[in-house]
Amino acid sequence: MQDGAGAEEGGIQTLLALLADGEEQARQLGEMVAAEDDGPWSSSRRAAAEHYRGAARRLQRTLGRAAAVARAFEAAAPGSSRGTDRSDDSPRSADESSGRTVAVDAQAQERQSTMCKRRKGLPRWTAKFRVPETSLEATPDDGFSWRKYGQKDILGAKFPRGYYRCTYRAAQACAATKQVQRSDADLCVFDVTYQGEHTCHQKPRRATAALSAPGGRSQTPPPPPTPPALPLEQQDPGMRLLGMGFRRVLRVETAGLALHDDPDDRGPASAPAAPFSFPSVPPPLLHAGEAATTTDSIPVAAAFSPPASSYGFSAPSYDCAPATCYGDVYDYDYEAPQGARMRGAESSELGEVVSRAMVAAPASFDYSSSLFHHQAELDPHLPFPPFGGPPHDPYQ
DNA sequence: CCAATTTGACCAAG
DNA sequence: CTTGGTCAAATTGG
């Protein structure tokens, strides 16, 4: 809601200041606890102190990471002078999208005349959808209406890749496209790569619809890669909306990067990075998520609809009981167009944060290792396209 | 009849 | 040249 990612420059400075502040406070807290630890306390008290100290250390570290992220952004987006371009793109921004629409239009024309296939520059992210075995034929649907425009066999892949573009591409100049490919390793898994954000106004139908209307076509929530951010206000912990649904938990996993977590950083089983919760709305910029657990449960709306044709999957009805659907996993992997890149050091910890942030950021980062696994539950209210995408024109 | 999908050709990038 | 992505005519389905 409020200006989402708008705060680029001053915002980052402020953010850095706040984070530094928090870091310092956490440090002091840790010292205080440590001091207490020396006293003649009982072992239990001592243990408690140890615990708090660990918590303080984690907090400090988390803040430090967040600061690193902020710095990375700052570094990556130097020309910060223009900060107000993009900004929110919440669903409702539709109206004001007029300006943006124009831009899109221009792109469309350009594309037409040039007929180039280059779509570099467009934000891109990948999601892995795992469908329940009971409905192997289903293709994960993200809530938008797509029109298939091609299919191709990909080298090394057992299954062909399907190419889809937004149904309203022509009508509304929506440039969103996606590629869907079934994993050769696991038939239940689909890799879906999205490119470009939707500029069309599709009305979100609830997943419920999908359930009740099997034949219906898409509609579902989006590939939400977006993130995590914030509006806590609207998040309720217990928010399990869903009447039906399947629930999934979101878990972030940074592939390939070793996050050096402290020993005390949360328990063993936990995942490296922080999970986050997400709102369904386009959040502002980043937030360092640090949820307590690695797996947050999020009501992500995800419905599987039966598109079907291409791979011949058609969603059986959703008779799959919710139970059977549990466990579906979605992995999100954001990838930015080429462009700025952040310095290595921090990249590892930033992994997931960056990814999401980059969605909102103008500049792009070259990072590509984060995956978000999440298990969500079908949510009747589709959150909506969160994409906080880069509204700005990708093409130079 | 309209709209979506199929499918092979075409084209650009690597 | 190979491969991935898109186009567009033909086809299918409602």
Side-chain angles (χ1 to χ4, degrees), chain A residues 141-145 203-221 242-246 301-306 315-319 378-382:
Chain A
D141 194 6
D142 44 33
F144 288 97
S145 293
K203 51 181 167 197
R205 233 180 230 184
R206 340 351 249 306
T208 353
L211 279 181
S212 55
R217 83 173 44 281
S218 13
Q219 278 307 341
T220 4
L242 21 90
M244 56 197 290
F246 312 85
F304 295 97
S305 86
S317 358
Y318 303 86
D319 17 294
L378 241 189
D379 159 349
H381 324 329
L382 306 179

Side-chain angles (χ1 to χ4, degrees), chain A residues 90-300:
Chain A
S90 46
R92 58 222 20 272
S93 64
D95 331 34
E96 70 172 84
S97 63
S98 55
R100 193 177 307 157
T101 302
V102 174
V104 173
D105 237 35
Q107 290 174 32
Q109 287 178 26
E110 184 186 44
R111 187 182 318 153
Q112 198 165 37
S113 59
T114 322
M115 213 193 299
C116 297
K117 329 193 159 205
R118 51 46 158 151
R119 11 170 88 268
K120 3 175 147 186
L122 287 176
R124 177 180 165 143
W125 64 94
T126 303
K128 282 186 179 166
F129 290 81
R130 179 170 232 274
V131 301
E133 299 188 20
T134 50
S135 56
L136 284 181
E137 326 274 309
T139 289
D141 194 6
D142 44 33
F144 288 97
S145 293
W146 301 95
R147 172 122 157 218
K148 187 173 186 176
Y149 66 86
Q151 178 169 303
K152 194 118 179 106
D153 286 310
I154 299 304
L155 200 73
K158 292 176 63 169
F159 302 94
R161 175 177 300 169
Y163 296 86
Y164 300 79
R165 64 165 46 116
C166 178
T167 301
Y168 307 104
R169 185 224 192 177
Q172 298 180 38
C174 180
T177 64
K178 73 168 179 178
Q179 296 177 5
V180 179
Q181 178 153 47
R182 175 169 243 165
S183 164
D184 16 304
D186 186 341
L187 296 190
C188 299
V189 176
F190 289 86
D191 285 328
V192 181
T193 299
Y194 295 91
Q195 268 184 67
E197 55 182 324
H198 283 275
T199 53
C200 58
H201 312 172
Q202 291 186 37
K203 51 181 167 197
R205 233 180 230 184
R206 340 351 249 306
T208 353
L211 279 181
S212 55
R217 83 173 44 281
S218 13
Q219 278 307 341
T220 4
T226 339
L230 25 185
L232 308 179
E233 29 169 80
Q234 7 189 326
Q235 319 204 217
D236 27 82
M239 164 177 166
R240 35 175 82 289
L241 4 148
L242 21 90
M244 56 197 290
F246 312 85
R247 178 212 255 96
R248 304 179 160 94
V249 180
L250 202 177
R251 164 170 91 224
V252 178
E253 178 177 299
T254 310
L257 301 177
L259 304 187
H260 44 119
D261 281 341
D262 276 15
D264 359 79
D265 241 32
R266 130 174 4 155
S270 56
F276 30 91
S277 37
F278 34 148
S280 28
V281 215
L285 221 13
L286 37 132
H287 99 305
E290 35 258 42
T293 344
T294 340
T295 45
D296 289 293
S297 112
I298 303 169
V300 170

Side-chain angles (χ1 to χ4, degrees), chain A residues 311-334:
Chain A
Y311 299 135
F313 315 148
S314 47
S317 358
Y318 303 86
D319 17 294
C320 59
T324 54
C325 295
Y326 277 111
D328 292 349
V329 175
Y330 299 86
D331 296 332
Y332 292 108
D333 178 8
Y334 303 76

Side-chain angles (χ1 to χ4, degrees), chain A residues 4-60:
Chain A
E8 239 156 84
E9 181 168 342
I12 289 188
Q13 293 306 317
T14 303
L15 177 60
L16 281 168
L18 291 171
L19 292 171
D21 212 347
E23 214 175 337
E24 176 56 21
Q25 289 172 27
R27 191 184 62 71
Q28 289 179 25
L29 175 62
E31 287 182 0
M32 290 167 64
V33 178
E36 198 172 6
D37 197 26
D38 292 340
W41 312 103
S42 64
S43 61
S44 63
R45 169 128 193 198
R46 192 161 293 196
E50 179 61 38
H51 183 270
Y52 294 134
R53 189 171 43 175
R57 199 176 313 172
R58 288 194 293 274
L59 175 58
Q60 189 183 341

